[in-house]
Amino acid sequence: MNSTRRTRGNPAVFLLALVPAFAWLLQGCAALAEAAGRAADGSAFAEKTTALYEGGDGIRLRETAGKNGETFFLVTMERYPAAVFRASGDGENCRFTALEYLGGSYSGWNEFTLELSGSGRFVKDGQGGVLSLAGPLEPVRISAGKIRRNGEHITGAQALSGLANRRERILALAGWMRKEAAGRHIPLSFPGGAAFERYWKPVLLPELTARGKRPAAWNAGGARWIWAEDIRWNASYTALLFPEELRELRDSGALLRDWEEALEWIRIEYEWDDITGRLSAGITMKRIR
C-alpha cells in the first residue's frame, strides 16, 4: 500500500487538501471555512465588521467591533490562506494577540489559536491607512484548537496536546530547513504552497518522489530500509542528511504525517521571518468597504 490511500474518504475533506496547490482560489474558501467555524461556536455574532482595507501583496485588514465596543483587526495574507492574524486596537496603536490557523489535509484539518506577543500601528489617513509592526512578533503557545482526522473530531485537552506536540516537531523541522536553505542558496520564502512543496518534498520525502527528482544523496553509500506508515524508508539517507533529533521522526513516518496533514503550517513556520518582515515594512492600505 502507498500514500495514495490517504486520498480516500469524505469529499469535503479532500477539497480542503487542495489548499497548497490552489492558494489563490482557497483564500476565499479558507475565509468561508473560518466563517463557518466562527458561526458554529457563536463568535461570528460577537463581532461586527466596520471596515475592510486592502493593501499590496494580497494583504487585507478587516476592522471589527466587539460586543463590548472593543476594536479588533484581522489581517490576512493571500500567500498564506490558512492564517489570520488578530490584533486588538487602541487608537492608532494595536497589539497582536493571536494567529488563528485553519489548514486542511487529505484526512481532515488542524485548527488552532497560537497566542502572539507584539505591537503594531494602524494609522488611518482619509480612506486608507498604513499598517506596520512596531517590533518583533513572538509566538507564545497554542491556547485553543481542534483536530479533524478521518472522521474523528478531537477537542479539549487531547487536541491541545496533539497540536502542541506537532508544533514542536514542525519548529524543529523548519529550523533545520532554514539552515539547509542557507547552505543551498534556496529562498526563505516561496511564492506559494505548490512551489514550496515542489522543492522540499524531494528533499524530505524522496521515497514519495519520482526517481528522476530524488536528490543525489539518495543513492550515496547504499541503503538500509525501515518500514513505517506502509512506506519503506531509506534510513541511510536519513542518517546522512538529517540531524539526530529529526532522524526518528522521518524513519517512523511522523514527518510524513506532519507533511500530509499540516503542509501549510510547516510553510508558515519556515517563512515566519519573511511574514513578519512584510508586516514590519509598513503596508499602505486602501479602504474598499
Side-chain angles (χ1 to χ4, degrees):
M1 185 181 296
N2 57 39
S3 63
T4 58
R5 72 193 189 284
R6 296 175 174 83
T7 63
R8 300 171 186 165
N10 190 320
V13 169
F14 175 75
L15 289 176
L16 282 170
L18 299 178
V19 169
F22 302 100
W24 62 272
L25 175 63
L26 287 183
Q27 175 73 16
C29 293
L32 289 173
E34 178 205 358
R38 290 166 61 79
D41 65 15
S43 58
F45 305 103
E47 297 177 16
K48 179 181 179 180
T49 298
T50 56
L52 182 64
Y53 298 84
E54 189 174 64
D57 204 22
I59 297 176
R60 284 193 169 195
L61 181 148
R62 181 158 62 96
E63 181 179 308
T64 70
K67 62 181 179 180
N68 295 322
E70 315 98 316
T71 298
F72 296 101
F73 301 121
L74 303 178
V75 180
T76 60
M77 306 175 76
E78 188 175 8
R79 295 165 67 98
Y80 307 98
V84 178
F85 290 89
R86 175 177 287 270
S88 59
D90 179 14
E92 293 185 349
N93 298 311
C94 58
R95 183 169 61 89
F96 281 81
T97 58
L99 166 66
E100 298 172 352
Y101 176 92
L102 175 60
S105 72
Y106 294 120
S107 60
W109 61 84
N110 295 286
E111 179 182 359
F112 62 80
T113 298
L114 174 65
E115 293 181 3
L116 299 175
S117 175
S119 60
R121 288 171 61 82
F122 183 50
V123 182
K124 296 180 182 179
D125 180 14
Q127 288 299 303
V130 177
L131 171 70
S132 62
L133 286 176
L137 189 59
E138 299 292 342
V140 180
R141 66 185 180 95
I142 292 178
S143 58
K146 302 172 185 177
I147 301 170
R148 181 81 173 187
R149 183 184 297 125
N150 296 323
E152 181 183 12
H153 196 192
I154 305 170
T155 61
Q158 184 180 359
L160 280 178
S161 177
L163 290 165
N165 289 339
R166 169 159 280 171
R167 181 167 184 263
E168 288 299 315
R169 296 195 301 270
I170 289 177
L171 286 174
L173 175 64
W176 173 79
M177 290 167 68
R178 287 192 296 269
K179 292 178 182 177
E180 279 290 297
R184 296 167 181 250
H185 305 291
I186 299 302
L188 292 174
S189 176
F190 288 81
F196 177 82
E197 181 176 13
R198 190 162 50 247
Y199 177 79
W200 282 108
K201 185 176 180 179
V203 176
L204 301 174
L205 303 165
E207 292 84 355
L208 304 183
T209 305
R211 289 182 180 275
K213 296 183 178 180
R214 291 173 181 170
W218 168 260
N219 294 315
R224 179 172 60 88
W225 304 101
I226 295 177
W227 281 94
E229 291 290 311
D230 299 319
I231 304 293
R232 192 176 68 154
W233 303 102
N234 184 344
S236 297
Y237 174 77
T238 304
L240 179 66
L241 186 65
F242 291 82
E244 187 173 356
E245 63 270 20
L246 293 178
R247 292 172 189 169
E248 183 178 352
L249 296 180
R250 202 187 97 85
D251 290 342
S252 68
L255 192 156
L256 170 63
R257 292 194 300 273
D258 289 340
W259 181 264
E260 290 189 333
E261 297 177 13
L263 177 58
E264 187 69 5
W265 186 356
I266 294 172
R267 178 171 163 246
I268 287 172
E269 294 291 359
Y270 173 82
E271 301 187 9
W272 185 257
D273 289 345
D274 182 74
I275 293 171
T276 56
R278 290 174 188 274
L279 294 175
S280 298
I283 302 144
T284 299
M285 312 292 290
K286 179 181 179 181
R287 183 167 179 169
I288 59 175
R289 193 172 76 196

